[in-house]
Amino acid sequence: MTDTNVQRIALVGIGLIGSSIANAVRKENLAAHIAISTRSETTLARAEVLNLGDSYHAQATDAVKDADIVVISVPLSACEAVAKEISTALKPGAIVTDVSSCKASVIADMGPHIPDGVHFVPGHPIAGTEHSGPDAGFADLFKGRWCILTPPKGTDEKAVEQISELWKEMGSMVEVMEPEHHDQVLAITSHLPHLIAYSIVDTATNLQDDLKQEVIKFSASGFRDFTRIAASDPVMWRDVFMKNRDAVLDILGQFSEDLAALQRAIRRGEADKLEEVFTRTREIRRSVIDFKQD
Ligand code: NAP
């Protein structure tokens, strides 16, 4: 075992993210015992077939009992109920963390249910795929990706350090941020692009049948990349837009204005204006590659 020295880690929720954590913890030997719990019997049985953990529990309270670290990987809309359910079973000194895509809402939802003497270190791995469920996870999902931690003010520094260490051992780089700032940054880097992808693919869905077939046939011309993003889990993304409403509406307003400016440039035949914008955006792509986040 490494210096994280975790005897028992409990994973509540074992979909794409939970199972990736299970695989990474197992691969890097980051805990002596992995206890798994999930809502449905089917998913729990599947996790066992995949040998993701050391024990499997229908009740989350049984999984978190005696756990040093508890990782909640369920949809945003379920976080509050899960935190409430496990609250009486957590051992003093345990650390509860999560992986949710919005942080201010999760702190408001889960925070009140974390008992005194238990630490709460919210987190968000900036890593994922469009797939869901326990079969979708893999140990290297977090390698070379950022994980953002948003501990509420006054959180025990050692607890933050321990969760930070856990993510680093799983291959991530870690940054600590204010939850509201996280939500603003993710609104532009993740939430808005997903909304645009959902919208474009839906526009294609509404086209007349023959045109729609052509769109699918010639999708390699750009549409294909949007279909991958728009195949992301509908419940997860419904929750993101419900929970990060203000930051998303703010950036959506700016985006709509910029889109209208491009529309005007096309209508007016302002070729230079278009070229100037497209040259600027190309630089951003180069920076993303330089940061190894492509
Ligand atoms: P997922 O593959 O769909 O797995 C969801 C897990 O949560 C399953 O174990 C599921 O249990 C359980 N669950 C679903 N609804 C529930 C409910 N109402 N109450 C209790 N448990 C419930 O989801 P995921 O992609 O791992 O996402 C989990 C979290 O990670 C989300 O909060 C998301 O914001 C965050 N996240 C996702 C990504 C991504 O790319 N997917 C990236 C970063 C962060 P059953 O199968 O047993 O019903």
Side-chain angles (χ1 to χ4, degrees):
M1 205 161 32
T2 71
D3 56 3
T4 52
N5 203 20
V6 176
Q7 284 306 306
R8 182 180 173 101
I9 189 166
L11 306 179
V12 180
I14 196 75
L16 167 70
I17 301 296
S19 65
S20 294
I21 294 173
N23 280 307
V25 167
R26 173 69 56 83
K27 184 177 169 199
E28 303 298 335
N29 201 18
L30 303 178
H33 185 101
I34 304 172
I36 291 176
S37 171
T38 186
R39 177 180 60 164
S40 73
E41 272 177 34
T42 321
T43 304
L44 194 61
R46 188 65 197 151
E48 193 162 2
V49 168
L50 294 167
N51 192 27
L52 293 175
D54 300 296
S55 63
Y56 303 88
H57 307 268
Q59 303 301 325
T61 44
D62 292 334
V64 306
K65 196 166 170 284
D66 295 327
D68 307 294
I69 294 180
V70 175
V71 188
I72 313 287
S73 311
V74 301
L76 277 154
S77 56
C79 284
E80 181 172 14
V82 169
K84 195 172 174 186
E85 184 188 348
I86 63 171
S87 60
T88 53
L90 296 164
K91 76 168 185 184
I95 308 173
V96 175
T97 185
D98 77 310
V99 298
S100 316
S101 310
C102 307
K103 300 320 308 171
S105 70
V106 115
I107 291 172
D109 290 347
M110 289 179 65
H113 301 291
I114 306 295
D116 288 347
V118 172
H119 310 292
F120 181 34
V121 183
H124 178 207
I126 312 298
T129 71
E130 68 278 25
H131 303 297
S132 304
D135 287 271
F138 54 100
D140 288 347
L141 177 65
F142 310 114
K143 278 228 152 64
R145 301 290 173 205
W146 288 96
C147 179
I148 301 177
L149 303 182
T150 62
K153 281 197 175 53
T155 306
D156 182 70
E157 277 179 24
K158 279 201 186 118
V160 178
E161 190 49 43
Q162 203 175 343
I163 296 301
S164 174
E165 220 23 65
L166 178 69
W167 282 106
K168 286 180 187 167
E169 304 270 20
M170 292 195 286
S172 290
M173 293 94 69
V174 174
E175 182 132 331
V176 173
M177 239 183 228
E178 292 289 326
E180 292 75 14
H181 186 60
H182 164 280
D183 290 353
Q184 262 179 350
V185 171
L186 269 290
I188 174 74
T189 56
S190 169
H191 307 169
L192 181 64
H194 275 80
L195 193 70
I196 292 168
Y198 280 124
S199 171
I200 288 180
V201 176
D202 194 45
T203 300
T205 310
N206 295 330
L207 292 173
Q208 62 209 58
D209 268 354
D210 49 346
L211 193 50
K212 188 159 69 184
Q213 286 314 316
E214 300 283 83
V215 168
I216 292 167
K217 186 170 163 188
F218 299 116
S219 62
S221 48
F223 185 69
R224 183 181 56 187
D225 295 340
F226 286 108
T227 62
R228 187 185 57 73
I229 299 175
S232 300
D233 188 69
V235 171
M236 171 184 158
W237 285 97
R238 175 203 69 188
D239 287 359
V240 165
F241 293 113
M242 291 299 98
K243 296 286 187 181
N244 198 22
R245 193 187 316 223
D246 291 346
V248 168
L249 288 176
D250 189 34
I251 197 67
L252 193 55
Q254 289 184 47
F255 171 72
S256 304
E257 283 176 22
D258 292 343
L259 190 62
L262 288 177
Q263 187 180 14
R264 198 169 47 242
I266 295 170
R267 187 168 4 90
R268 291 180 180 170
E270 294 171 350
D272 290 352
K273 164 111 191 175
L274 294 177
E275 192 179 332
E276 183 196 314
V277 173
F278 300 162
T279 304
R280 238 182 6 239
T281 56
R282 209 174 199 194
E283 288 304 312
I284 293 275
R285 173 68 189 161
R286 291 196 180 119
S287 312
V288 168
I289 293 169
D290 288 348
F291 264 85
K292 296 190 170 53
Q293 296 301 302
D294 55 319

